Amino acid sequence: MERIKEHIAAFWRWVDAPENLKYGDITDVTNEPFYYPGFCEMVKICMSYVNQELSEEELDDFLFCLALDSETEDILDSCKKHGNNAFLTALVERGISYPQIDARWQLAEILRRPLPNREHYLRLLSEDADEYVRRRANNVINGM
């Protein structure tokens, strides 16, 4: 995951923002993340980590990249297509309270799969502070 860390640091330099913004909301960044010059490589590297056992810090980095990729949704698509239950469950458990809104709403989409404790996580997302996250979670709940 060292290359992902390098891309995340390079992303923050590219947007000329303090790295501690990752605890805020990247939607406040004025540059569209997919214009970051290393975006495609970062997404490809991140997708290669699907189904690997990741530490909490590595899951945070994965979730951050997932949030950056919220427009193209390539990482989300890879998770939905290739992710095994153990990987996706670890991602959801770590990400349910992750600070990036654009990661949390994508977790609702991952929860279309019948993962363990799915209803519990969807309920939490349906009560999220962000209206868009709540709406995406409720869409999944209503489609069950």
Side-chain angles (χ1 to χ4, degrees):
M1 290 288 286
E2 198 57 39
R3 289 180 17 199
I4 292 295
K5 286 195 173 310
E6 292 169 11
H7 273 290
I8 291 171
F11 172 79
W12 289 121
R13 287 190 302 275
W14 178 73
V15 298
D16 194 27
E19 191 168 340
N20 65 357
L21 185 61
K22 70 182 172 183
Y23 301 109
D25 184 0
I26 58 170
T27 58
D28 293 336
V29 172
T30 56
N31 302 26
E32 290 293 340
F34 50 83
Y35 289 130
Y36 158 61
F39 183 79
C40 290
E41 180 184 0
M42 179 191 67
V43 167
K44 183 186 281 188
I45 294 167
C46 201
M47 289 188 314
S48 75
Y49 286 106
V50 172
N51 294 334
Q52 293 191 23
E53 189 172 324
L54 303 177
S55 69
E56 288 184 355
E57 183 179 350
E58 291 168 334
L59 283 168
D60 286 347
D61 291 344
F62 190 96
L63 287 160
F64 184 76
C65 293
L66 181 69
L68 289 179
D69 185 40
S70 68
E71 289 295 322
T72 60
E73 299 177 22
D74 292 328
I75 297 171
L76 173 62
D77 291 343
S78 182
C79 286
K80 288 173 19 181
K81 185 174 182 178
H82 303 291
N84 62 38
N85 283 358
F87 177 80
L88 296 178
T89 298
L91 190 64
V92 169
E93 285 175 355
R94 183 69 182 169
I96 204 76
S97 61
Y98 191 70
Q100 298 299 333
I101 294 164
D102 284 337
R104 293 195 313 273
W105 74 255
Q106 291 182 80
L107 295 177
E109 292 303 315
I110 288 171
L111 287 165
R112 289 187 183 278
R113 183 181 292 180
L115 297 173
N117 299 314
R118 172 170 91 156
E119 291 82 8
H120 169 71
Y121 295 125
L122 283 169
R123 184 181 54 74
L124 291 174
L125 290 171
S126 73
E127 298 168 355
D128 194 273
D130 183 76
E131 187 272 331
Y132 189 68
V133 174
R134 291 192 306 270
R135 185 171 357 134
R136 294 300 288 252
N138 285 318
N139 287 345
V140 175
I141 291 167
N142 293 331
M144 291 173 33

